[in-house]
Amino acid sequence: QTWYGFSGVREVAGIDRTILLVPLLGHTQGHCGIAVQDGDGWLLHVGDLYFDRRSLQGQAPTLMQLSERLMAHDNAQRLANVARVEQLRRDQGRFIDIFCAHDPLELAQMQAKRQSVTVV
């Protein structure tokens, strides 16, 4: 199944809500983001694809970039998916809220925007 240009997407079966596993390979083998349909839009948690929101524009602090690179299974693949997620944010940002939980500011902004979001 495809979702906004991402292929290999799998829907989680047996629940009342549409939840998708979106392959975002590179950080680890088999790494996925989680997309949750919310009304007319989506919430996309990208997991460990990046650790700092500035990574989406290639502007994270040098030590953060180094950490992301060293922890990646395949950094070239991870960076390709970072670019794809940034493009998705630019193209579909009105319909898809994208975040990672590693960036405290990004997480706080998402929680404030979406009071129903609970991250464990």
Side-chain angles (χ1 to χ4, degrees):
Q1 171 174 353
T2 61
W3 181 78
Y4 290 99
F6 290 87
S7 60
V9 174
R10 302 276 180 161
E11 184 171 352
V12 177
I15 54 177
D16 295 339
R17 206 167 192 172
T18 301
I19 298 177
L20 305 174
L21 301 176
V22 181
L24 297 173
L25 306 176
H27 172 67
T28 59
Q29 287 182 323
H31 182 261
C32 289
I34 306 296
V36 179
Q37 191 168 27
D38 184 27
D40 293 337
W42 291 88
L43 179 66
L44 176 61
H45 185 295
V46 298
D48 294 338
L49 182 64
Y50 60 88
F51 301 155
D52 185 296
R53 69 199 169 286
R54 294 168 289 187
S55 295
L56 291 172
Q57 293 86 33
Q59 298 175 354
T62 302
L63 288 176
M64 184 64 68
Q65 291 179 43
L66 178 62
S67 177
E68 290 173 339
R69 185 175 75 228
L70 290 174
M71 295 183 75
H73 169 73
D74 181 334
N75 197 52
Q77 192 173 40
R78 184 189 70 81
L79 289 172
N81 278 313
V82 166
R84 291 177 69 202
V85 166
E86 171 57 11
Q87 186 67 47
L88 179 66
R89 186 189 65 76
R90 282 194 311 266
D91 293 348
Q92 302 296 331
R94 291 182 28 220
F95 306 107
I96 304 172
D97 288 326
I98 299 169
F99 76 105
C100 84
H102 286 291
D103 184 312
L105 179 59
E106 189 174 63
L107 178 59
Q109 289 172 338
M110 186 59 59
Q111 287 173 321
K113 183 176 181 180
R114 303 235 178 186
Q115 293 298 317
S116 65
V117 173
T118 302
V119 177
V120 178

